[in-house]
Each structure stands twice: as structure tokens, then as C-alpha cells.
Amino acid sequence: MKNQILKPFLFILSLSFLSFGCVEDSEKDEPTDSNLDREVLLANWADSFIIPGYERFDQKFQVLKTEAGDFQQEPTTQSLQDLREALKAAYISWQEVEMFEVGPAEQVTLRNFFNIYPADIEGITSNISQESYNLNLPASYSRQGFPALDYLINGVAAEEGDVLAFYLDESEGQQRLDYLMTLVGRMNELLSQVLVSWKSGYREQFISKTGLDIGSSTGGMVNAFTLYYERHVRTGKIGIPSGATIATGGNVNPDKIESFYYPSISRELAITANRASMDFFSGKSSTGTGASFKSYLNGIEAKDPSTGTLLSSDVLAQFELVQNKLNALNPNLKDQISTDNSAMIEVHTEMQKLVRMLKVDMSSAMSITITYTDNDGD
């Protein structure tokens, strides 16, 4: 009799616990603020920035590939000019995707094969003269990619006629043309590998890793974004050429600017990189404004530790300040360094403030561990 009385009571009690457990799990799964829904954040990064960014870059690169093929078939003044314009457009477009060194790009270390400068001219010359060489080795990074193409298209001679003579030379002209096409073909293969991977499964994998731990997509993107701006925008484009970094000992290095053999676009490359970084931070894409670092930081009410204002506002204000200082530079950074290097130093100083905001303040507010180290002493 006692068991018959207890059975209904135990059944009701068990339903209560089950119901409580379901409510608790439901509350855990549903973010209380849409700005904190990391699945939405990751989806917007993939669908509004990374995949379409690579697609736009691929369009520019395919033009470069076509023009390179035309030049190989018939080196003329017109085909050389067309190739130079295609290289310029692709190099500028690259600035909008170089920051996305996560997932497929990280696996193949895309940046190492696309944009390590200055170019190793001696190594390029050696590769051309040899029948076999290995472009996978770290020593070969600066013998390929955009810096090597910059040299081969813009730097082998000052005059167009001499550039054409370089490729029409009876002894090595064909080998030089073949090496040019080898570099373009290799870049095309790596780019295709990255883009196909994103569009055939990695997108879903990226969006599914919604944690904040090491190995999560948000953690990986914070590290990739911050490392890119610190090491490849601040230091690579400005710090090393201007001698602003401690590692340079204050010595200027105009020979280490990006696009050294076509320096008239060197400032444009830096401006594009800074603008692309700012747009990614704020979530501003070609399709509108979506979930971003800015919206996430606002969602957790992250404040600047020194001013008490919204951290996202201070970061964007600093991006704008850097952009204004970049706009004021000479379009040719080599000329800027030789005429008024102090302006370059000022840009580096403001970029350094921005690095601190991203690497320290933003990562701390988001509870993200920075897993890379920068050893230039800044």
C-alpha cells in the first residue's frame, strides 16, 4: 500500500526535476543578448568577410594569371603594361584578406607564400638558373609571391625596353618567363585550395566552434587579427622601413617597404590594410553591417580601462586616427622616409596604441588567450 502511494509522488517529483533540467539547458543554449551569440558572429565573419573576400581577391588574381600568360606568350610593351596593372590590382586586393590566416589559410601558411618581403633577388636568380628548386622550404618564402612578382615585373630594369630584353634574352629569357608563370601558378593553386576548403565544409566547422578556449574559432580569429595588425601592418609596413622598431636600432630601411619596385602604391597598400582591418572590426562589409568585434564588445559592455568609455568606440577612433595619418603620407613611402621620416614614426606610434587596445584590452574583455609572441621589443 505504501509503495502505491509513493509511486505517483515519485513520478511527479521526477517530472519536476526533468522540467527544471530542460529549462536550465534551454537558458544555457539561448544567448541573453544577440550581440553575444558567437555562432551569429562567426557566420557573419565567414559569409560577409572571409569567403566573399577571397572570392573578390580570386577574381583579381585570375586577371593577373591571364595577363601573365599573355606576357609569357608574347612579351610586348602592351602586355607588360597590362601585367603591371593586373599585379597592382591583385596586390591591393590581397590586403583585404591577408588577415584571415585561420583554418585553411593557416594550414597552408598562405601568407608565407604570398607576401614575405623584401624579395630575395639572389635566390630568385638562383632558382631561375637551376632546373629544380623547392618552393615549399622556408628559405624560399621570399623567392615567390607578390614581392617576387614585383621584382620580376617591375624591378629587373628601369626602362620598359630593358625589361622586355630581360625576357627576350636568348640564353635565359624563356627560363625567366617560365619562373614567372611557375610563381603565378603556385599562388593560384594555394588560393584555390583555401577558397574551395572554405566553401566545401570548413565554413560549417568554423561556425560550430563557438567557445572562447584555445582552438575555438573566436579565439583563433582574435589571435590572427591581432597578430596581423601588430606584425604585418604596424611592424612590416611602417615600423621596419622607418626604423621605428627597437629591433632596427633606429636605422631606416627604405629598401624594406612593401612593393619596393613599384613604390607608388606602397602607401595605398598600408591604407587598404588599415581600412580593411577597421571595417572587419566594426562589421562593415559590402552587404551592410553585421555582428563583429564591435557589437560583441558592446554586448559585454567592455570599457576602456583608462577612460571608462566604450572600448569599441576608442578602438574605432584610433583606427580613424591611423587612417588620417596614413592619408597624409607621400604615396611613395620610400620618398616619405627620405624626406620626412618623422611622419612615418608618428604613424607607427599611433599603430602601437591600437595594438595595445586589440592585444590587451579587447582580448582581456573577451576572455581570449593570446597564443602568439612578438619579439621585436615594442
Side-chain angles (χ1 to χ4, degrees):
M1 185 69 176
K2 186 183 294 184
N3 288 339
Q4 292 177 342
I5 295 174
L6 283 174
K7 281 181 180 178
F9 174 78
L10 291 173
F11 177 73
I12 294 171
L13 185 63
S14 65
L15 284 177
S16 299
F17 277 116
L18 181 61
S19 175
F20 177 78
C22 290
V23 171
E24 185 178 42
D25 286 343
S26 175
E27 290 176 348
K28 187 183 296 183
D29 291 339
E30 293 296 327
T32 57
D33 187 333
S34 61
N35 287 330
L36 303 182
D37 189 336
R38 287 189 290 276
E39 185 173 346
V40 172
L41 175 67
L42 296 172
N44 191 55
W45 282 347
D47 298 337
S48 299
F49 289 93
I50 300 175
I51 294 175
Y54 278 129
E55 288 175 334
R56 288 191 298 270
F57 173 54
D58 183 58
Q59 290 175 355
K60 300 292 185 183
F61 195 84
Q62 293 312 309
V63 175
L64 173 60
K65 182 171 176 283
T66 297
E67 298 298 349
D70 290 346
F71 180 73
Q72 182 195 36
Q73 292 298 315
E74 190 175 0
T76 65
T77 299
Q78 186 61 56
S79 63
L80 176 60
Q81 291 174 351
D82 292 342
L83 179 55
R84 284 175 166 172
E85 285 301 311
L87 174 63
K88 173 184 174 181
Y91 211 167
I92 292 170
S93 182
W94 165 253
Q95 308 299 316
E96 298 181 342
V97 298
E98 186 176 349
M99 73 182 85
F100 303 135
E101 193 90 342
V102 294
E106 183 181 20
Q107 290 168 9
V108 301
T109 62
L110 192 66
R111 182 188 294 117
N112 287 340
F113 298 112
F114 269 61
N115 201 31
I116 299 300
Y117 55 93
D120 176 7
I121 308 308
E122 184 177 342
I124 292 171
T125 303
S126 174
N127 281 359
I128 290 173
S129 63
Q130 295 178 25
E131 292 186 1
S132 63
Y133 45 83
N134 188 349
L135 292 176
N136 285 308
L137 298 175
S140 292
Y141 291 159
S142 55
R143 302 177 185 182
Q144 59 191 299
F146 283 115
L149 293 179
D150 178 35
Y151 166 70
L152 291 169
I153 296 170
N154 300 309
V156 295
E159 301 297 329
E160 286 185 350
D162 294 330
V163 174
L164 294 176
F166 179 81
Y167 288 105
L168 293 171
D169 179 75
E170 290 184 4
S171 60
E172 283 201 314
Q174 190 59 51
Q175 289 173 261
R176 293 162 179 168
L177 288 168
D178 291 345
Y179 189 71
L180 173 65
M181 288 306 299
T182 294
L183 298 189
V184 172
R186 175 171 172 73
M187 293 172 75
N188 184 64
E189 181 182 343
L190 289 170
L191 173 58
S192 176
Q193 183 178 336
V194 169
L195 185 52
V196 167
S197 183
W198 269 101
K199 297 171 75 172
S200 61
Y202 185 74
R203 174 194 176 276
E204 288 69 27
Q205 183 181 340
F206 179 76
I207 294 172
S208 70
K209 297 179 180 179
T210 58
L212 292 174
D213 56 313
I214 296 174
S216 67
S217 294
T218 306
M221 196 68 247
V222 169
N223 273 273
F225 180 72
T226 306
L227 180 149
Y228 168 68
Y229 198 86
E230 177 176 13
R231 189 173 297 170
H232 300 284
V233 180
R234 181 208 65 176
T235 299
K237 299 179 190 299
I238 304 295
I240 292 175
S242 68
T245 64
I246 293 175
T248 61
N251 297 316
V252 297
N253 303 280
D255 59 319
K256 294 183 179 179
I257 66 167
E258 195 171 17
S259 189
F260 177 75
Y261 298 99
Y262 193 37
S264 60
I265 67 166
S266 53
R267 181 190 66 168
E268 187 173 2
L269 297 178
I271 286 174
T272 304
N274 189 74
R275 177 189 50 75
S277 299
M278 178 167 56
D279 288 347
F280 184 73
F281 177 87
S282 65
K284 181 181 177 183
S285 71
S286 58
T287 58
T289 302
S292 62
F293 284 133
K294 175 187 174 182
S295 64
Y296 193 91
L297 290 171
N298 289 347
I300 59 176
E301 299 182 349
K303 303 292 181 63
D304 185 297
S306 58
T307 65
T309 57
L310 281 175
L311 178 58
S312 66
S313 298
D314 285 359
V315 170
L316 285 172
Q318 192 63 25
F319 265 122
E320 289 284 2
L321 178 57
V322 170
Q323 195 77 345
N324 290 335
K325 287 191 173 293
L326 284 169
N327 287 331
L329 297 178
N330 189 307
N332 183 330
L333 295 186
K334 190 165 24 173
D335 289 346
Q336 180 67 60
I337 292 169
S338 64
T339 57
D340 181 15
N341 192 46
S342 63
M344 291 280 286
I345 303 294
E346 288 180 15
V347 173
H348 181 270
T349 298
E350 298 305 331
M351 284 182 167
Q352 176 58 20
K353 294 176 184 177
L354 184 51
V355 167
R356 177 191 58 78
M357 292 178 179
L358 298 174
K359 189 175 182 178
V360 179
D361 300 337
M362 183 177 79
S363 65
S364 296
M366 294 180 67
S367 300
I368 298 293
T369 300
I370 295 297
T371 57
Y372 73 91
T373 56
D374 195 80
N375 299 316
D376 66 3
D378 292 344

